[in-house]
Amino acid sequence: MNLKKIIVIYKKELLDLVRDKRTVVTSFILPVILYPLLMIGFSSMMARQETKLEQQQIVIYINDEVQDRDTDALKRSLSELETIQIMEEKPNFDNITYINLLKGKTIQAVVNIRDSLSSTGYRILDITCYYDETSEKSSVAYRKINDKLYEIEEELVSERLNEIKINNEILNAIELKKENIAPPEQMVGFIVGKFLPYLLIILTISGASVIASDLIAGEKERGTLETILISAARRNELVIGKYLTIITISIITVLLNLFSMYLSFQHIFMQMGSQINEFHLPVWNFALILLLMLPLITFFSAILLSISSYSRNIKEAQSYQMPLIFGAIMLSMVSFLPGFELNFGFALIPIVNFSLLMRDIMLNNFNPYLFFVVIGSTVILDIVTVYISIKLFHSEKILFRTAEDKSLKFWGKNKRNILNTQFVIVYYVIILIALYYLGGSWQMKDIFSGLIKTQIFIIILPVILILRISKTDLRSALKLHNTKPINYLMVFIAALPLLLLSGIIAQLINMIFPVSKAYLETMKDLVTMQQHGLLFTIFVVGVLPGICEEVMFRGFILSSFRKKGVWAGIVVTAVLFGAFHLDPFRMLPVTLLGIWLGYLAIKTRSLYVPILAHFLHNSLTVLISNYSDRLAWMSFIFKDENIAYWTVIPALVILYFVIAGFHKVNPEMVD
């Protein structure tokens, strides 16, 4: 690549964007004036509204069913409260009447007074306060009444103790004092650190999305992309130049946002009192966050550039950007959630790692090791996404896509086009929703009967019905063909090595993302035979998933996606298979199992082989979970319910020879 050409392209794109009034306003001007206006304005409005709410006249009704000296004193004390007006007591009022007045906002609270005797013989005033918690005015009324009644209770108790000549200090058996050791800077960091990651991540991706969609998709729409492509610059140089443009604008946007936030927060805290005014926000924390944002900006920029390259116009690019923005919003909100602390596992999850690390930085409590893990893992993702962007920009088929059929026709005139990716994706989403809502409710009531219903009514039955309705040949679509007996034998040989490898992968995941004990107990209960016999457990855990899930995935879904390429079809189907289990902890091992099952289906041209492999995998899990402690030789493999890591080597060796055997017996990887 020619660096001079990249710089020329970069300057050209940057100059075009700076000349665009919309870019200047949204990326440069708004961040400078938006935060001061919003933060200072909202803080002033909130303070003013709170003062106004406290000063508003509040009407309460007191229903006194006791009518004696104590309750008269109580009513006088309540009437002395500022802004409290007591409605004249009506003898014909009943419970329904004053509740209706409360609902109609005529009054803000009702105090109902009764009395009773305690076990010591002293009278107790039973007071019920009715209020509407959805009404701020009514909530203020309850708070004032509650505080006043607490004072009155202390006075009444003091009077009783004085009557029997006991000092009321006898009631003070425990005196609890609260001492917060966190300095003001850390308290502010704790508050700001919760929502600052959310704001920065969303502002970064939303600002970069506008620029990215205009750089390539916009040029397609304006018809200027062809002119750039025939220039002296090569496509790699064009991509890098545009990529640097998005990064530059995003960095400027983030820098202005951080600067504006810092000044706005500082101004607000200076107005909050002398104690807050004694310190300043840690400027180095904001500088560190800016440094942290750089790899995240480059990551988002590469993804958005790929989306722009794939899209035919700006509108289409924006529609593709929405899932990315929505996903970023959901992941960035982890900083609001309690119990989430940055560890090595979370440090590898994009967006989540930045959100948690920013929160720790604001608390001055971040781990430098995890800081570099977050940056390093994101840099790796940057390289991958940039490579994808370059590949997309080199593809004429992608870069100059023609208009596609936007209709959702599921099959053609002869109802023979059922095995197309569009229909299969829609079908998969519908089944996934049914699995989550319907299957989940079944399994919550009874795990075994729920699994049976799920496998039959959600997974296999809809596939059979659709293929029948579309008049598709079941035998051909689902690969219901016989195969060589040696293929079944090799599946038996590979079963235990594959189970050990998937178990070790699960153990490694558990080391990075620790699994809760409740989750482990749930998985253990599923494969043990505490409530059901061995045959029934194997039927539910092994036989049904082996048949039903293979018919859906390696039969129906794989037949559609393999048209995109053999290995592309296998991998995509496996990923969908992993996601279908709705379990992030098992996503990777289940996906890898799905790749193996897809390989078997394509290699042997028979669905019976992956059905057997799936059955053996699940059934071996049941058998080992129940009988491993009864077999002496299993103690060499399992140590404290964990698989010994040395088993990886023999498992890989056996699997290597099995795969070699499959290649020799089934030489072609095509149907």
Side-chain angles (χ1 to χ4, degrees), residues 448 529 533-545 615 618-619 622-623:
F448 279 90
M529 303 178 300
L534 173 63
L535 294 179
F536 182 78
T537 304
I538 288 180
F539 173 75
V540 175
V541 178
V543 176
L544 277 180
F615 161 75
N618 290 7
S619 300
V622 174
L623 293 172

Side-chain angles (χ1 to χ4, degrees), residues 140-262:
V140 170
Y142 170 75
R143 187 174 68 251
K144 289 185 175 182
I145 292 169
N146 181 65
D147 293 343
K148 192 63 180 178
L149 289 178
Y150 181 76
E151 295 176 8
I152 295 171
E153 182 187 25
E154 287 188 329
E155 293 175 2
L156 291 175
V157 171
S158 180
E159 289 177 7
R160 290 177 181 178
L161 291 174
N162 289 332
E163 289 176 2
I164 58 177
K165 298 181 179 180
I166 295 177
N167 193 320
N168 58 5
E169 289 185 359
I170 196 173
L171 298 176
N172 298 327
I174 297 176
E175 185 175 357
L176 177 65
K177 296 181 179 179
K178 184 172 65 172
E179 188 70 29
N180 183 11
I181 64 169
E185 291 89 346
Q186 194 168 2
M187 287 302 301
V188 173
F190 174 74
I191 297 170
V192 175
K194 283 184 175 294
F195 62 86
L196 181 62
Y198 171 79
L199 284 176
L200 280 179
I201 290 172
I202 299 309
L203 288 169
T204 299
I205 193 171
S206 59
S209 63
V210 176
I211 306 302
S213 60
D214 184 71
L215 283 183
I216 299 180
E219 288 191 338
K220 290 182 185 180
E221 192 171 335
R222 294 188 294 270
T224 58
L225 182 62
E226 291 83 351
T227 306
I228 297 176
L229 291 176
I230 61 174
S231 65
R234 291 184 295 179
R235 295 201 179 187
N236 289 1
E237 297 160 353
L238 290 171
V239 172
I240 299 300
K242 292 177 181 293
Y243 180 54
L244 292 175
T245 304
I246 302 172
I247 292 173
T248 302
I249 299 297
S250 299
I251 290 174
I252 294 173
T253 304
V254 170
L255 186 61
L256 290 173
N257 279 306
L258 278 173
F259 177 74
S260 183
M261 283 182 187
Y262 180 83

Side-chain angles (χ1 to χ4, degrees), residues 76-133:
R76 281 196 303 274
S77 297
L78 290 176
S79 64
E80 292 172 0
L81 286 171
E82 292 184 7
T83 71
I84 291 285
Q85 177 184 350
I86 299 177
M87 184 179 180
E88 183 181 351
E89 195 168 354
K90 304 291 183 181
N92 58 343
F93 268 26
D94 56 12
N95 185 56
I96 298 176
T97 303
Y98 57 66
I99 291 298
N100 286 335
L101 288 173
L102 184 59
K103 289 181 178 179
K105 313 296 183 185
T106 304
I107 57 178
Q108 279 68 56
V110 176
V111 179
N112 190 52
I113 306 175
R114 295 179 180 176
D115 65 346
S116 61
L117 291 177
S118 67
S119 58
T120 58
Y122 283 99
R123 188 180 69 160
I124 298 175
L125 292 178
D126 295 325
I127 301 176
T128 304
C129 182
Y130 298 92
Y131 76 105
D132 183 0
E133 195 167 352

Side-chain angles (χ1 to χ4, degrees), residues 258-448:
L258 278 173
F259 177 74
S260 183
M261 283 182 187
Y262 180 83
L263 293 181
S264 301
F265 285 137
Q266 193 70 32
H267 181 81
I268 291 172
F269 294 137
M270 289 176 64
Q271 293 182 332
M272 291 176 64
S274 57
Q275 292 182 348
I276 301 291
N277 195 26
E278 293 174 358
F279 75 96
H280 298 279
L281 281 170
V283 64
W284 288 110
N285 289 19
F286 281 83
L288 196 59
I289 287 175
L290 176 62
L291 176 64
L292 181 66
M293 287 297 295
L294 295 179
L296 187 64
I297 289 170
T298 56
F299 174 61
F300 282 143
S301 299
I303 294 177
L304 293 168
L305 191 64
S306 298
I307 291 174
S308 185
S309 299
Y310 181 79
S311 304
R312 295 188 299 269
N313 49 55
I314 294 178
K315 184 178 179 181
E316 185 177 344
Q318 291 172 346
S319 67
Y320 292 146
Q321 290 167 358
M322 285 307 298
L324 178 64
I325 296 174
F326 180 76
I329 289 173
M330 298 301 294
L331 293 175
S332 63
M333 290 179 69
V334 71
S335 59
F336 290 94
L337 304 178
F340 279 87
E341 294 183 358
L342 185 64
N343 54 31
F344 182 76
F346 286 129
L348 300 176
I349 302 178
I351 302 176
V352 171
N353 50 11
F354 282 91
S355 187
L356 295 176
L357 184 56
M358 283 185 208
R359 187 179 67 183
D360 291 349
I361 288 173
M362 291 304 299
L363 288 170
N364 290 317
N365 189 31
F366 73 95
N367 187 330
Y369 165 71
L370 295 178
F371 180 88
F372 288 108
V373 170
V374 171
I375 291 181
S377 62
T378 309
V379 168
I380 294 173
L381 290 176
D382 288 347
I383 295 171
V384 173
T385 48
V386 170
Y387 174 77
I388 293 172
S389 298
I390 293 173
K391 292 290 288 184
L392 288 174
F393 205 75
H394 275 79
S395 173
E396 299 286 342
K397 184 179 179 181
I398 296 296
L399 205 58
F400 298 106
R401 287 193 309 128
T402 56
E404 296 177 350
D405 185 8
K406 297 181 181 180
S407 66
L408 288 177
K409 294 185 292 185
F410 287 167
W411 51 75
K413 296 179 180 179
N414 299 322
K415 298 184 179 180
R416 297 285 184 181
N417 193 26
I418 196 69
L419 297 175
N420 65 81
T421 54
Q422 178 178 310
F423 173 75
V424 169
I425 290 172
V426 174
Y427 173 82
Y428 175 82
V429 171
I430 293 172
I431 296 299
L432 192 65
I433 293 171
L435 176 69
Y436 180 77
Y437 289 102
L438 189 58
S441 63
W442 288 342
Q443 294 171 31
M444 285 288 289
K445 295 176 182 176
D446 184 277
I447 183 65
F448 279 90

